């Protein structure tokens, strides 16, 4: 493997998914996929969220009793931790997304609920040697006092329990910042580079003590705009002492079917741009659906082959 | 196999499809799939419709001459009956959907056409030992005098020929009652439980002599609302002496790609709710695309594995 | 193989794609697919376009320097020509589509740019024995003075270099003339047969010296309308001394997922209609995604089987 190339060393685990169809894997299939991750050097897995609305990943008495969430049939957090230990990976726990409170401005309620979840999870799973960090699953694109305060509250709470790193993965409010169910491919009124710089300078100045790693998503601006945005992100992360990772999306935002695996050339270009911008680490959303030899999509299995050829070259 | 669990013992056959892509199977592939159905205990297959607009499943002189339908290349009704006999299943014949007359209020024309189709089909295929019933393919969600009259006319006509059971599969006008090509995921102005109760009390009181089995689709309300709706449906079916089946959808309505196979946990939850509500039988829309070991979708092949593990446990 | 049936003897190569997800094939996969094409008698391959916006198929100094296109990782034109030579096929080169100039009325700029591309390509690849023609990738449906002038300018330029044939593949402005990302399935205000006749008489009278082959797309009108439109197309092509091919689409325009492989019966019907209308040759958009034994879509692999059964019968 060439040491010159930026390679993917982390992936999200998209359970519970917002918008990506489930592959209906059981534990045997997940074990096989962790093995495939390991084979290309993935050392970090990030649970996208503890739950979304009523569907949750682990039998949380908080969420079941307080929010009416469904009792899960399987403890995915326990399973992912077991597999992380088996394959010597670090596991980041993604917070619960109510799909409700914070969306409607009730940030304090979202925070209070998640503090209970964090405490519960830390009590229950915190002694796993693979429990490696927290992921704040409430995505942000623009400056927003409510979410910044939420980050601060939750960051302080996590750090009161443990000094594990805290990861966020914001997106740029670029021309491709659309919801998956929207039929259009381009957003009107997207942000300029200068405005992005200004707003994220403000945001990071306020959350710098609450988070440790910022992994900007790389799919919301056009490919020829990406280097400039990444340079700004890098400069701002450096300014505030934060690690800058790239969240290199392995699904294709440019096509009517939302979403199938990305064209390899696009992913390669984004990795090369990220490397030029000086990112510290590349993770992807996400390996199992979109670039795994076990993917349900043949295009994803082929993406794995192309990626391997590239990285092994 | 546990006798405690509600299992899927029937499936629709989605020919001619409104909105699900064809798998391009020939007779050998269909035989293999009937064998897979049989292996999990499916004893009932329901042709979703005799035809839709100009595409039809059997060489109907009525539909070809009167409606300008295309001459089919294959007699699917004959093939499905052959396979039903071979695998000892009951076949329900789904009526023709003009996609035109009844949609535009011409219920009498839709009925008159379908009486000819029913007579033609009964003359041509009625002696098959697997010809087990009729399925009224014109789906209904709210009270509608025209469609109720259509059901009555067609029910009486079928019963004048044979006492085979008549099945309908209505849907609840819930928050997920959207057309497949609509990009949104949630419908505004969906029905309340009380209104649903009121309208279906009225509907069933009027169609109770024309139909025998009501298999409500289970995908148009949220999972936590489903038990209440199913209890109402059960109570109403009991009141009018109708069998209450659940049409447990095996495709996922919550995702932008319309449609891929459902997440197994969702299907399992719906089956458990249906069992709690006291349904008499579970069928699915539908096995071959979404939960078959022969599905074109890997997610569906995995759904079969998860379902098998569950039901065999 | 029956000599009575119209068979597919040409296919587009959908690189760079507008709207179809990439299969992430490398050269080995492409070689395998050319072999599959050859096995069913395909003798003509048509590059859909040299590039689209900033993504291009060959390392064009014109497009990279002048338009800021990305340096391609692979020379697809060279690869396709190699494979065409290996399998004894004719390769048509599709022009560059800026997705910008001509769309915004700057036809002269689109033409000027493409003249440079044509010259560059002819210099670089023109001596390949498989370089068989030019394809004008700027699709047209209605009479439009700007695009007609563009065709004339580019046609004259190509013919000044070589007498290789020039192909266009227009579409009918029918009820299914929608963009892939639009959620609707039917277009309001589509063209009548008479208007189509009138406009295309005018168009072809003006481009008859600039192009040699007109391969109308067959997917934008309903199946029962197709014969009438094709007869008009045939009559007009005969009138102006142009070859009339059919571009028989192998993807399904009638389904919410845009796009999966077409139902075989639909493709068969379109081929039979095209034969009845007297077309000279059938090509498809396109083999590799939608009707190849190597397709990422199982439905496409099955379409290949059904097509083979038909054509070999």
């Amino acid at each position: 493997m060439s040491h010159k190339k930026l390679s993917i060393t982390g992936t999200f685990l998209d359970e519970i998914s917002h918008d990506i169809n489930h592959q209906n894997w059981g534990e045997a299939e997940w074990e096989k996929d962790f093995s495939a991750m390991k084979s290309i050097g993935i050392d970090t897995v990030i649970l996208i969220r503890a739950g979304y609305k009523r569907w949750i990943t682990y039998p949380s008495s908080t969420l079941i009793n307080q929010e009416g969430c469904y009792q899960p049939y399987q403890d995915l957090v326990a399973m992912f931790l077991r597999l992380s230990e088996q394959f010597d990976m670090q596991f980041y726990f993604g917070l619960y997304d109510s799909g409700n409170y914070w969306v409607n401005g009730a940030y304090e309620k979202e925070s209070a609920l998640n503090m209970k979840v964090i405490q519960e999870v830390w009590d229950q799973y915190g002694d796993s040697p693979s429990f490696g960090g927290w992921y704040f699953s409430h995505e942000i694109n623009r400056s927003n006092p409510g979410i910044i305060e939420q980050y601060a509250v939750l960051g302080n709470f996590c750090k009161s329990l443990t000094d594990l790193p805290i990861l966020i993965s914001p997106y740029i409010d670029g021309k491709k910042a659309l919801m998956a169910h929207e039929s259009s491919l381009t957003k009107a009124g997207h942000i300029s580079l200068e405005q992005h710089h200004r707003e994220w300078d403000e945001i990071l100045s306020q959350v710098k003590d609450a988070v440790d790693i910022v992994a900007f998503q790389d799919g919301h601006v056009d490919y020829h705009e990406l280097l400039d945005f990444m340079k700004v992100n890098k400069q701002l992360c450096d300014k505030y002492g934060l690690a800058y990772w790239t969240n290199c999306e392995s699904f294709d935002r440019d096509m009517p079917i939302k979403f199938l695996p990305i064209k390899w050339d696009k992913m390669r270009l984004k990795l090369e741009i990220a490397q030029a911008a000086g990112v510290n680490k590349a993770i992807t959303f996400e390996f199992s659906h979109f670039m795994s030899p076990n993917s349900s999509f043949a295009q994803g299995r082929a993406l794995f082959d192309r990626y391997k050829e590239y990285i092994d070259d």
Side-chain angles (χ1 to χ4, degrees), chain A:
Chain A
M1 191 183 297
S2 164
H3 288 283
K4 301 231 185 72
K5 290 171 188 158
L6 179 67
S7 64
I8 303 283
T9 57
T11 181
F12 284 91
L13 303 168
D14 191 36
E15 297 265 7
I16 304 297
S17 186
H18 259 287
D19 52 13
I20 309 293
N21 279 84
H22 205 270
Q23 302 196 95
N24 287 315
W25 287 355
E27 182 150 358
E29 287 84 354
W30 274 112
E31 180 173 347
K32 195 174 161 196
D33 214 49
F34 269 66
S35 175
M37 292 175 198
K38 187 72 184 178
S39 77
I40 58 161
I42 286 179
D43 56 26
T44 305
V45 291
I46 305 139
L47 182 69
I48 189 79
R49 56 186 74 85
Y52 178 59
K53 294 182 177 170
R54 290 174 190 261
W55 293 98
I56 55 179
T57 53
Y58 74 101
S60 161
S61 55
T62 297
L63 294 170
I64 293 168
N65 297 333
Q66 187 172 326
E67 299 298 314
C69 291
Y70 311 128
Q71 177 78 38
Y73 296 116
Q74 198 182 4
D75 185 338
L76 290 170
V77 173
M79 183 188 78
F80 288 139
L81 279 167
R82 263 199 315 279
L83 292 172
S84 296
E85 292 170 23
Q86 180 179 337
F87 291 99
D88 194 23
M89 298 179 182
Q90 290 299 295
F91 172 88
Y92 282 66
F93 177 86
L95 301 190
Y96 173 73
D97 177 354
S98 72
N100 176 15
Y101 305 129
W102 72 293
V103 173
N104 296 306
Y107 299 101
E108 287 177 28
K109 190 147 189 197
E110 192 83 15
S111 295
L113 185 58
N114 265 297
M115 282 191 281
K116 287 194 187 179
V117 167
I118 290 163
Q119 184 69 59
E120 188 177 65
V121 162
W122 187 244
D123 292 346
Q124 208 165 328
Y125 308 99
D127 61 353
S128 164
S130 278
F131 201 113
W134 307 95
Y135 165 60
F136 286 6
S137 64
H138 305 83
E139 294 176 16
I140 184 177
N141 59 341
R142 304 289 288 260
S143 182
N144 171 332
I147 197 78
I148 288 171
E149 176 66 13
Q150 182 180 310
Y151 278 11
V153 167
L154 293 172
N156 289 336
F157 187 73
C158 288
K159 292 193 178 299
S160 76
L161 295 179
T162 163
D163 62 355
L164 291 177
I166 294 170
L167 166 71
I168 62 171
S169 186
Y171 60 101
I172 299 164
D173 194 28
K175 65 172 70 157
K176 298 198 235 172
L178 296 152
M179 301 294 287
H181 71 267
E182 294 182 280
S183 64
S184 176
L185 293 176
T186 315
K187 177 178 181 166
H190 50 272
I191 204 168
S192 69
L193 183 66
E194 292 67 27
Q195 182 75 2
H196 174 81
H197 192 148
R198 224 164 20 243
E199 293 199 26
W200 277 94
D201 199 354
E202 184 190 327
I203 295 166
L204 293 186
S205 74
Q206 292 176 66
V207 304
K208 68 180 193 300
D209 297 322
V211 308
D212 303 284
I213 307 158
V214 184
F216 274 97
Q217 301 171 35
D218 72 353
H220 297 78
V221 299
D222 211 339
Y223 303 90
H224 67 277
E225 303 170 317
L226 189 56
L227 183 60
D228 287 338
F229 278 92
M230 282 190 159
K231 282 181 175 168
V232 163
N233 295 341
K234 168 70 174 161
Q235 178 195 329
L236 291 171
C237 286
D238 284 351
K239 176 173 176 183
Y240 293 108
L242 300 166
Y244 174 35
W245 296 1
T246 186
N247 176 359
C248 183
E249 296 177 346
S250 38
F251 62 96
D252 206 312
R253 287 189 182 271
D254 308 327
M255 295 289 147
I257 301 182
K258 294 176 180 175
F259 298 105
L260 291 183
I262 200 171
K263 181 180 180 177
W264 161 239
D265 284 1
K266 294 179 180 176
M267 187 167 185
R268 176 173 169 176
L269 181 60
K270 294 192 298 179
L271 284 172
E272 291 174 350
I273 292 169
Q275 185 163 28
V279 307
N280 301 109
K281 183 182 175 81
I283 60 177
T284 187
F285 182 92
E286 39 81 278
F287 181 82
S288 300
H289 284 92
F290 300 120
M291 63 174 295
S292 164
N294 307 306
S295 168
S296 294
F297 299 120
Q299 301 91 337
R301 302 192 290 271
L303 181 59
F304 181 81
D305 294 336
R306 297 293 84 74
Y307 175 75
K308 282 268 290 178
E309 285 170 6
Y310 168 70
I311 215 71
D312 292 345
D313 187 39

